[in-house]
Amino acid sequence: MAKTLVFGHKNPDTDTIASAIAASYFLNQIGEETEAVAQGTPNAETQFALDYFKVAAPRVVTSADTDTVVLVDHNEAAQSVDNLADVTVTGIYDHHKFAFTNATPLYIIAKPWGSVATILYYEFKQAQMAIPADVAGLLASAIISDTLLLKSPTTTDFDVTALKALADIAGLEDYEAYGLALLKAGTDLSSRTDKELIDGDAKSFDMGGHQFRIGQVNTVAIEDVLSRQAGIEAAMTEEGYDNFLFVITDILNSNSKAIFLGETTAAVEAAFDGQLVDNVIDLPGVVSRKKQVVPPLEAQF
């Protein structure tokens, strides 16, 4: 019988890949036969973590080549494999809003925490199952990534506890120093094309009948990214979305600016109580797409 595939969303980030690997390990330990896969190659930040803990990247898929799947870090069809409607979802581990419907019972763990990795840490703890050091290291990396080293407004006390425990298991004596190195590894944008920038961490949303593409990139110098605005806008236009918001986040100062192209300018300005100037809007204090970008946009529709 083919193994159940465990995977996260398209354009995978560190939480997506680490959580797929950890969830697959967990499920295999309780008697299931699973394989962690990914809907894309690891980004620079994720590859830093994989290399540091000497873990091979999962194989890349665009569709499921098995009958059963487990979703991590997503539950929306637009973010999943192309043939999701043709397979059976047997489980979901997620920390996003729910848009999933299913005709059969399934195992769902969904909590409003900063990272799916945190959810999985507590799954291991509840099962009284030891976490291998390399898996713990990847889970710690995922929490660091999704919470921006516990500075994001999505951070909860559960994330803080989980990160400290996982860092200890992984042998990270100074998880803050490691975390800063991890985040900085993902901010070297010089080698990425404009298309790679906008697609590297992008998700699609349906907001009241309006199709939104929201991408995000972390940096230590927003102006360096904005110096490429013409090329970025050309790449956004080529993708053909009705509305494309590209958020550029300064991970050191916890602020963002965003480039917007689309048909709902007034709604975007109202959502963020700001003004688009040359297609750019200031987003002071904004670092989280899930908590600070998507909700105010959805409220407009």
Side-chain angles (χ1 to χ4, degrees):
M1 187 175 75
K3 292 181 178 180
T4 296
L5 298 186
V6 184
F7 54 84
H9 54 72
K10 289 183 168 84
N11 301 315
D13 56 16
T14 302
D15 192 29
T16 281
I17 289 184
S19 293
I21 291 171
S24 178
Y25 177 87
F26 178 87
L27 293 170
N28 289 344
Q29 296 307 301
I30 62 174
E32 299 190 31
E33 295 187 11
T34 74
E35 177 193 1
V37 296
Q39 294 192 81
T41 56
N43 61 32
E45 178 192 276
T46 308
Q47 192 61 54
F48 179 94
L50 291 169
D51 291 343
Y52 191 95
F53 293 105
K54 298 179 173 59
V55 178
R59 70 182 176 97
V60 176
V61 303
T62 56
S63 62
D65 51 6
T66 186
D67 295 329
T68 54
V69 302
V70 171
L71 310 182
V72 302
D73 203 25
H74 77 294
N75 68 85
E76 298 190 44
Q79 299 171 11
S80 203
V81 289
D82 296 339
N83 65 333
L84 185 67
D86 301 324
V87 299
T88 299
V89 178
T90 61
I92 298 175
Y93 298 93
D94 200 10
H95 66 147
H96 297 95
K97 70 179 182 65
F98 247 71
F100 184 83
T101 57
N102 202 43
T104 58
L106 70 158
Y107 184 80
I108 299 174
I109 296 292
K111 296 182 182 294
W113 296 347
S115 168
V116 176
T118 300
I119 296 171
L120 288 168
Y121 164 75
Y122 286 97
E123 284 285 280
F124 278 97
K125 187 175 181 180
Q126 181 176 331
Q128 297 183 326
M129 185 188 302
I131 308 175
D134 57 351
V135 174
L138 292 182
L139 289 175
S141 301
I143 296 173
I144 290 168
S145 175
D146 260 23
T147 67
L148 294 179
L149 245 180
L150 305 178
K151 293 179 181 178
S152 168
T154 61
T155 306
T156 68
D157 290 342
F158 296 99
D159 300 299
V160 175
T161 299
L163 175 55
K164 292 179 179 178
L166 289 164
D168 185 60
I169 296 169
L172 288 174
E173 295 183 3
D174 187 346
Y175 72 79
E176 292 186 347
Y178 167 79
L180 189 58
L182 174 75
L183 294 174
K184 284 186 175 180
T187 65
D188 182 6
L189 310 178
S190 58
S191 63
R192 298 192 210 176
T193 66
D194 295 324
K195 178 173 173 55
E196 287 171 340
L197 276 187
I198 65 171
D199 285 343
D201 183 11
K203 295 182 179 180
S204 298
F205 300 86
D206 184 342
M207 300 185 183
H210 297 275
Q211 294 302 311
F212 259 84
R213 184 74 163 171
I214 304 177
Q216 186 172 20
V217 68
N218 291 335
T219 183
V220 292
I222 289 177
E223 295 307 317
D224 287 352
V225 180
L226 285 177
S227 70
R228 300 170 57 176
Q229 183 175 349
I232 289 171
E233 289 187 1
M236 292 166 68
T237 301
E238 288 176 5
E239 300 230 336
Y241 291 97
D242 293 336
N243 300 277
F244 201 134
L245 185 73
F246 180 56
V247 182
I248 308 162
T249 299
D250 181 339
I251 61 171
L252 297 182
N253 297 303
S254 299
N255 287 303
S256 297
K257 291 187 178 183
I259 301 172
F260 176 72
L261 297 179
E263 59 187 7
T264 57
T265 297
V268 170
E269 291 181 331
F272 301 115
D273 192 25
Q275 185 176 1
L276 283 156
V277 179
D278 295 329
N279 299 329
V280 175
I281 189 168
D282 283 317
L283 304 176
V286 170
V287 296
S288 169
R289 173 173 52 199
K290 180 179 70 174
K291 193 168 184 177
Q292 296 173 294
V293 176
V294 174
L297 281 172
E298 288 183 324
Q300 294 301 313
F301 301 105

